[in-house]
């Protein structure tokens, strides 16, 4: 059972740079793509920058609706994640093809992926760099996580199909909250 995550803590989910599943929806059709080019831009409201190539179906939906969900998968979803990154939504229903469950969001008309341990409901906050870099600034409106997942085994892309899995955690004095 997921509980709401305080918006001020969203940064801690994205800072390590896991590969995400970006969900979008347009004209009643939901879609997914793998997304690794993202970065935190501010704490609260949480702002996240991401590059969604105009060559992807997801770009058209995100651009038209201004809404998406950033879903954070763990290692068990690795094949589904890569599948969503290797196929296009105009040809494949990715939720069905990769066995993922679409559940309604609360703040956006885009489904969340139930199997992901965290889901961030977002709207486009700034489009200034879309024309030049396909770079969208997203504001996280509502965030969800599974509190039972203490040390998420997220996937981190190292290029050419190689992924590192998050593992050992250490605690050090850090000036960054
Ligand atoms: C590990 C991985 C990371 C990816 N990261 C991004 C990304 O950050 N931005 C992007 O535009 N495409 C990225 N892609 C490619 C898209 O996921 C891919 O083009 C996908 O087929 C787009 O689906 P769509 O056409 O249904 O939107 C990535 C693919 C993989 C496998």
């Amino acid at each position: 059972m997921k509980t709401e995550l305080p918006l001020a803590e969203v940064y801690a989910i994205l800072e390590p740079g896991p590969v995400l599943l970006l969900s979008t929806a347009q004209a009643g059709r939901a879609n997914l793509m793998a997304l690794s080019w993202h970065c935190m831009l501010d704490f609260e409201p949480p702002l996240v920058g991401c590059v969604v190539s105009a060559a992807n179906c997801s770009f058209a939906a995100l651009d038209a609706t201004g809404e998406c969900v950033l879903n954070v998968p763990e290692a068990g979803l690795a094949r589904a994640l890569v599948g969503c990154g290797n196929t296009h939504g105009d040809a494949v229903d990715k939720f069905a093809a990769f066995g993922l469950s679409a559940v309604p969001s609360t703040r956006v008309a885009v489904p969340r992926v139930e199997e992901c341990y965290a889901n961030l409901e977002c709207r486009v906050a700034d489009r200034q760099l879309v024309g030049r870099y396909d770079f969208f600034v997203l504001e996280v409106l509502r965030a969800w996580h599974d509190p039972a997942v203490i040390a998420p085994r997220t996937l981190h892309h190292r290029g050419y199909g190689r992924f590192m899995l998050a593992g050992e955690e250490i605690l050090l004095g850090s000036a960054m909250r």
Side-chain angles (χ1 to χ4, degrees):
M1 181 67 178
K2 287 175 190 163
T3 57
E4 186 164 4
L5 180 71
L7 294 179
E9 292 175 23
V10 162
Y11 83 95
I13 286 189
L14 291 192
E15 195 162 279
V19 187
L20 307 176
L21 273 172
L22 174 91
S23 46
T24 51
Q26 192 179 19
R29 188 171 164 87
N31 189 27
L32 293 163
M33 66 168 261
L35 178 89
S36 54
W37 286 21
H38 58 77
C39 62
M40 285 304 306
L41 296 174
D42 209 346
F43 281 107
E44 194 169 4
L47 296 180
V48 181
C50 64
V51 175
V52 178
S53 165
N56 294 326
C57 301
S58 302
F59 178 98
L62 181 60
D63 199 37
T65 66
E67 294 185 341
C68 66
V69 179
L70 300 175
N71 305 278
V72 191
E74 291 187 88
L77 296 179
R79 294 198 183 282
L81 177 67
V82 172
C84 289
N86 288 344
T87 52
H88 290 286
D90 52 359
V92 178
D93 174 350
K94 300 192 202 180
F95 280 95
F98 302 111
L100 299 169
S101 314
V103 294
S105 295
T106 59
R107 298 290 305 275
V108 294
V110 174
R112 298 182 266 153
V113 178
E114 176 63 12
E115 290 80 3
C116 289
Y117 95 94
N119 316 94
L120 312 178
E121 301 182 22
C122 302
R123 75 165 165 232
V124 175
D126 190 339
R127 297 169 185 271
Q128 285 185 68
L129 296 178
V130 172
R132 188 156 186 183
Y133 299 112
D134 296 343
F135 185 90
F136 292 85
V137 176
L138 307 174
E139 176 182 346
V140 181
L141 302 173
R142 205 155 189 203
W144 306 90
H145 74 139
D146 180 349
V149 179
I150 307 294
R153 293 271 286 163
T154 47
L155 293 133
H156 302 258
H157 191 221
R158 302 187 63 218
Y160 305 101
R162 285 187 309 158
F163 293 84
M164 222 162 53
L165 298 182
E168 190 187 353
E169 194 170 73
I170 57 171
L171 188 60
L172 302 170
S174 162
M176 179 79 174
R177 71 163 159 150

